[in-house]
Amino acid sequence: MSDAVITLTTDFGEGSPYVAAMKGVILGINPRARLLDLSHRIRPQDLRQAAYFLAITLPYFPREALHVIVVDPGVGTERALLYVEVGGQRLFVPDNGCWTGLIAAGETPTVLHLTEPRYWRSEISATFHGRDILAPAAAHLSRGLDPHLLGPTAGTWVKKEMPAPVLGPDRVGGEVVFIDDFGNLLTNIPDTALAAWQDRAVRIAVAGKPVPQRVRTYGQAQPGSLVALINSGGMLEVAVAHGSAAKELAIAEGAPVEVELA
Amino acid sequence: MSDAVITLTTDFGEGSPYVAAMKGVILGINPRARLLDLSHRIRPQDLRQAAYFLAITLPYFPREALHVIVVDPGVGTERALLYVEVGGQRLFVPDNGCWTGLIAAGETPTVLHLTEPRYWRSEISATFHGRDILAPAAAHLSRGLDPHLLGPTAGTWVKKEMPAPVLGPDRVGGEVVFIDDFGNLLTNIPDTALAAWQDRAVRIAVAGKPVPQRVRTYGQAQPGSLVALINSGGMLEVAVAHGSAAKELAIAEGAPVEVELA
Amino acid sequence: MSDAVITLTTDFGEGSPYVAAMKGVILGINPRARLLDLSHRIRPQDLRQAAYFLAITLPYFPREALHVIVVDPGVGTERALLYVEVGGQRLFVPDNGCWTGLIAAGETPTVLHLTEPRYWRSEISATFHGRDILAPAAAHLSRGLDPHLLGPTAGTWVKKEMPAPVLGPDRVGGEVVFIDDFGNLLTNIPDTALAAWQDRAVRIAVAGKPVPQRVRTYGQAQPGSLVALINSGGMLEVAVAHGSAAKELAIAEGAPVEVELA
């Protein structure tokens, strides 16, 4: 356990000195920890993007991994810091709701307040609790500490709902929830919402712009053509084959997506 | 072997959730794997850039490392997925030719088709075989699996030639094959092609623009001056000392490079 | 010791093939080395930014870590390459002064010249000593080599002073020394310089532009407001809450900062 993987997800930017400082703090407490960058390119203070990122990545990890998440617009205010066990994952995260999308239906997560200063750095700044509290707490846990020594069980916590699609009899309305580096538009419309219409003609539009073609995979489309497909996460996605749908349609996250029976 | 290094090279972008998912999948199969990012900034679907990147980096690695490469414009189509032993390296890569620049003269690489679903994820998407097939196959191999259990030997595979320079008696023609983050222009003209002219005056031009000076290293040039040198890979390179040749000359990869006896 | 952490800090850019080559070289000498990226986004040849980055990050690391730093505008010239023990840290770095900000008051660092070719790569390029000398020397040390075998003690080395604030009876003048990815302006004015004025009104200005408000943490400010605070490094910082001070004030590193008694 002492060589546990500790992943880092922040909005600090690639190559940030703040990420480096967290790595140093963790190795100072557990020199055998295996550090793994997930992303440092969450948009600054964007809890919605952080929530989406965590929801589509953490489920792939084994329970052995610990995840430190530092997207923390409320740093230094009264917001709590949490240790969470949810969906088979263990997280260190500010109490801002960016993790609650991982709660499975019917699941009651374990949530602790990180109140025990023994597992913090000796000096706590007002602006960087990722370095001063979350990172050292994770490092101590990775050495085998009983998590319940980190602080008391939290009775309540901030809960953020992921934006849900609106399902009608002949229409599904959703939105673009993430734009990847290819410029593909990931939506919140699951394939299950469209399954009943599988053999029927549908009209798909993003921000009012029609998407003319449905394909199974990018390689089936002419380079440059605008297509819709079910992506590797089981969700409707709009893409330009070998191009950027985000650029060509000038779309930002949050844009509306509509699917209608033709 | 179970704590083997597994490197990742993709066109997914820094901090991509797709890279994070692959890391999770690998650790789920082999929690002791040591993951190492090489690059996630290969230009989207740019097999030529991927080929060049692999050719100039993988030879530095010891045989113990496994390399997962996901630049995969043909994902979901009939293109195969490969396990390759080439030039003392072991790769997991789509059958798109981006690795064949590593084949040494006279070498016959070992190439297997990854057809054995036992070493895939249980569900296979149409758009992300890096996560669903390449990553789990590499993780299984890192635990000591005999590679021949991954699938049968491939009789043929896609082969991509690296662009070769044209050598004449008093002229060598090549091209810019890579532009690094300094804006240095790496060409495909090896020092051996110029060795015979070592003591003679030559004219060097990139996209028709003359390069006035040859130096041994950047530090010998006046800051801001345009120079040619033999770089750390043994190739002709055009650079602006303490500046960006790509920006100053407005050069993109593929631009022609000419060396002529003066 | 053979699985020591070796960190990498360069100006090569994220995903650079030069970073990948260094990783391969290190693993070729010590397959058990644990590689850790700190930053590859130091501005090209910017020794001042490198110095600042090292000064605010390396002190967090335990002594077990080795740090390879390649910001090397003088590569291939007569500048030496160093092994340094300073402030409890062990560095491999060109002799360009980017590390001397780590020297504590009264400390005499251990500095060696890396002159022993036995611990270099067999061929040394003129333009990439990070790969050919620094990386292999660090890899050999990580396997337990006595550092004194790397070369002789250096009697002298390039020393670069960090820019110091000017302290007056009713005025402190400093500068912006680093701009982070949030656009926060980190200055070289320590909280200790302002401690005596804690209960008095002060005027703060960056590049002549007044900063109207002081807060303890970002979350105390209205989103979009321009504030000054003491940051997690104990220094004066100017920020736009949930925004970018660098963009809104159009500030670059080096901009003057003034604090005056009102």
Side-chain angles (χ1 to χ4, degrees), chain C residues 95-180:
Chain C
D95 183 17
N96 57 33
C98 73
W99 63 274
T100 57
L102 291 160
I103 305 175
E107 181 185 11
T108 303
T110 298
V111 184
L112 307 179
H113 279 158
L114 299 176
T115 55
E116 177 50 61
R118 182 183 318 193
Y119 305 112
W120 302 353
R121 290 188 74 226
S122 51
E123 276 186 69
I124 304 301
S125 69
T127 58
F128 195 1
H129 292 175
R131 178 194 67 191
D132 298 339
I133 300 178
L134 297 176
H140 282 290
L141 198 76
S142 74
R143 296 180 59 189
L145 189 78
D146 178 346
H148 285 282
L149 296 176
L150 295 169
T153 298
T156 181
W157 54 83
V158 175
K159 193 163 166 27
K160 275 226 162 73
E161 305 287 346
M162 308 287 281
V166 177
L167 310 177
D170 51 8
R171 186 189 164 281
V172 175
E175 63 181 90
V176 174
V177 286
F178 191 80
I179 297 177
D180 69 20

Side-chain angles (χ1 to χ4, degrees), chain A residues 21-69:
Chain A
M22 290 176 62
K23 291 177 175 176
V25 166
I26 289 171
L27 291 173
I29 294 168
N30 180 2
R32 305 199 52 75
R34 293 184 293 152
L35 293 162
L36 196 60
D37 295 302
L38 294 197
S39 177
H40 302 297
R41 280 185 54 207
I42 303 296
R43 250 195 313 270
Q45 290 103 25
D46 191 335
L47 294 171
R48 198 166 159 286
Q49 192 179 56
Y52 187 75
F53 183 92
L54 298 175
I56 65 169
T57 58
L58 295 201
Y60 292 101
F61 280 82
R63 197 187 140 75
E64 288 82 5
L66 299 176
H67 305 287
V68 176
I69 296 114

Side-chain angles (χ1 to χ4, degrees), chain B residues 1 58-59 61-69 81-94 99-114 137-138 141-142 144-154 157:
Chain B
M1 174 105 175
L58 295 200
F61 281 82
R63 196 188 139 75
E64 288 83 5
L66 299 177
H67 306 286
V68 176
I69 296 113
L81 293 161
L82 306 178
Y83 167 74
V84 176
E85 295 181 5
V86 62
Q89 304 296 330
R90 298 182 296 166
L91 283 63
F92 293 83
V93 61
W99 62 274
T100 58
L102 290 160
I103 305 175
E107 180 184 11
T108 304
T110 297
V111 184
L112 306 179
H113 279 156
L114 299 175
L141 198 76
S142 74
L145 189 77
D146 178 345
H148 285 281
L149 295 176
L150 295 169
T153 299
W157 54 84

